[in-house]
Every structure is written in structure tokens, then in C-alpha cells.
Amino acid sequence: GESVGLHLPTLSVQEGDNSIINCAYSNSASDYFIWYKQESGKGPQFIIDIRSNMDKRQGQRVTVLLNKTVKHLSLQIAATQPGDSAVYFCAETPSSNTGNQFYFGTGTSLTVIP
Amino acid sequence: KAGVTQTPRYLIKTRGQQVTLSCSPISGHRSVSWYQQTPGQGLQFLFEYFSETQRNKGNFPGRFSGRQFSNSRSEMNVSTLELGDSALYLCASSFGTGGNTIYFGEGSWLTVV
């Protein structure tokens, strides 16, 4: 089966610092990746996505990097704010999948220290 | 426009009962997927429906079933509830199927006692 993992289950950063959350995947056929943010008691919220034909994609204060060689994905959050405290999930779907079945990592809990 | 809407938000059921959860996708979205989220197993795919047809099914017992209506609204049903079915059930919608971005609702919290 698919294996999508995260290097660290928890991450604490000072407000204003940059955060980096990592994710590893095992299926080399994976071609679409999404990062989600989940706050307590809420559903996952889309942050940013990237397809396998790209190495980097930037959004507002967030950047996703994809390294297909080592099957690694990272989410960078610039100038981390208290509102960024949440659990972050990476999700991937392989091109061989004919539907929208995503495989999720176990999540990294980000705590921003004021 | 409105996001994915799930009802009910919270419910408590007794072992052996059945439950039906409802999901209204984002307007214009034709694909609806269901996921189960638990502390131990994380987010796991249940099934996806597109144009009223089941596209994919995850590794869950037959007690878990779903359907999609012509207006793209979807329901999932769990029969003969077990304690281990206690979880957050998340619905996600997307415009199409096959590598499309999925957007989640707030989920339905099911507690089985």
C-alpha cells in the first residue's frame, strides 16, 4: 500500500520565524501533492498543491518544494504566526489512480510560541 | 460560494445501530470522497463517487457504504456499528476525478457507545 510519512510529529517555532514541515512518500508514481492545515475541531483546509512536473510552488507565505529523486516534499511557512498553529498533513495521489483517492501522512503538529 | 456541508456535525450511536451521514459538495463539484479520521489510523480513504458511480473504494468492510444522487449530494451509511467506528468522518468534493484538488467539509463526529 501507499506510505506517506512525516519526519517529525511535532514542531515548535517562535512567532516570526520560518517553519519547515517535511513529508516523505514511497510511491514513485505519485504525481499530485497537496498540503492541508487542520485546526482543532475542523476539517482539513487546503493550503497549497504541486504537481510532479514542478519542483517549487509559492503561495501567500507558503512554499512547497518537491524532490522527486528522494521522494520528499516540504512545506515552508514564512514569518510564522500564532494562527498557523495546527496539524499539517501532506497528501498524495498517484497517476495510476483513476479516481481521487489520496493517501495522507500522519501529520505534524505545529505550535507557534508567541 | 458555499463550501462542503456535512450533516449532522455530532452524533452518538449505540453498538449495533446504523448511521447515515450526509454531504453536500461545493456547487459545481461532481466528485465526492469520504474519509475516516481517527487518532490511531489518521486519514483513511473510504470511497469516492463521481456522477453517481463509485470510482474507488478503500480497505473498509462492507458495513461501510455510500451513494451519490443526481445533484451530486452524497450519503454514507455504516451498518451494525462497532466501537471502533467512532471517528471523524470527512467528506471532500472536487470538480472532477483523477488528480483533482479535494476540498473538505468540517466533518461529522460519530461516537459509538
Side-chain angles (χ1 to χ4, degrees):
Chain A
E2 299 291 329
S3 173
V4 185
L6 292 169
H7 294 316
L8 294 172
T10 61
L11 177 65
S12 295
V13 298
Q14 291 288 142
E15 181 179 357
D17 286 352
N18 296 334
S19 303
I20 299 177
I21 300 171
N22 296 301
C23 180
Y25 62 95
S26 60
N27 189 347
S28 56
S30 298
D31 65 352
Y32 183 46
F33 305 85
I34 304 178
W35 280 100
Y36 289 93
K37 171 187 179 183
Q38 187 174 27
E39 297 175 281
S40 181
K42 297 187 176 182
Q45 176 188 356
F46 172 90
I47 301 173
I48 192 168
D49 60 354
I50 189 168
R51 296 198 181 268
S52 59
N53 60 350
M54 302 175 69
D55 297 324
K56 178 180 179 179
R57 193 159 187 227
Q58 290 182 293
Q60 187 176 8
R61 286 200 304 117
V62 294
T63 300
V64 55
L65 299 176
L66 175 63
N67 185 329
K68 297 179 286 294
T69 302
V70 295
K71 296 198 281 291
H72 182 269
L73 191 70
S74 69
L75 175 71
Q76 300 177 3
I77 304 173
T80 313
Q81 303 169 357
D84 294 328
S85 292
V87 177
Y88 290 81
F89 294 96
C90 61
E92 56 97 356
T93 188
S95 57
S96 61
N97 193 314
T98 58
N100 257 359
Q101 180 172 354
F102 280 81
Y103 300 89
F104 284 79
T106 52
T108 291
S109 177
L110 174 66
T111 300
V112 181
I113 304 166
Chain B
K1 60 186 174 183
V4 178
T5 305
Q6 292 188 244
T7 57
R9 287 295 321 275
Y10 305 93
L11 65 167
I12 300 174
K13 291 287 187 178
T14 304
R15 264 185 309 175
Q17 288 186 314
Q18 72 165 6
V19 66
T20 299
L21 308 177
S22 180
C23 173
S24 292
I26 294 170
S27 178
H29 284 193
R30 295 168 61 195
S31 168
V32 173
S33 304
W34 289 89
Y35 288 81
Q36 181 195 67
Q37 186 175 27
T38 60
Q41 299 298 318
L43 275 149
Q44 292 190 293
F45 174 81
L46 281 157
F47 29 66
E48 179 202 4
Y49 287 87
F50 180 78
S51 294
E52 301 178 67
T53 301
Q54 188 178 87
R55 294 300 305 270
N56 282 308
K57 188 173 178 7
N59 188 25
F60 280 84
R63 299 185 298 106
F64 292 81
S65 62
R67 59 177 176 169
Q68 186 180 34
F69 302 95
S70 58
N71 61 358
S72 295
R73 191 177 68 85
S74 177
E75 290 180 347
M76 68 161 283
N77 183 77
V78 188
S79 62
T80 319
L81 284 165
E82 300 176 359
L83 296 179
D85 297 333
S86 295
L88 175 64
Y89 290 88
L90 292 160
C91 171
S93 79
S94 66
F95 179 75
T97 186
N100 273 239
T101 308
I102 61 173
Y103 299 91
F104 286 91
E106 299 289 60
S108 293
W109 288 92
L110 170 65
T111 301
V112 182
V113 297

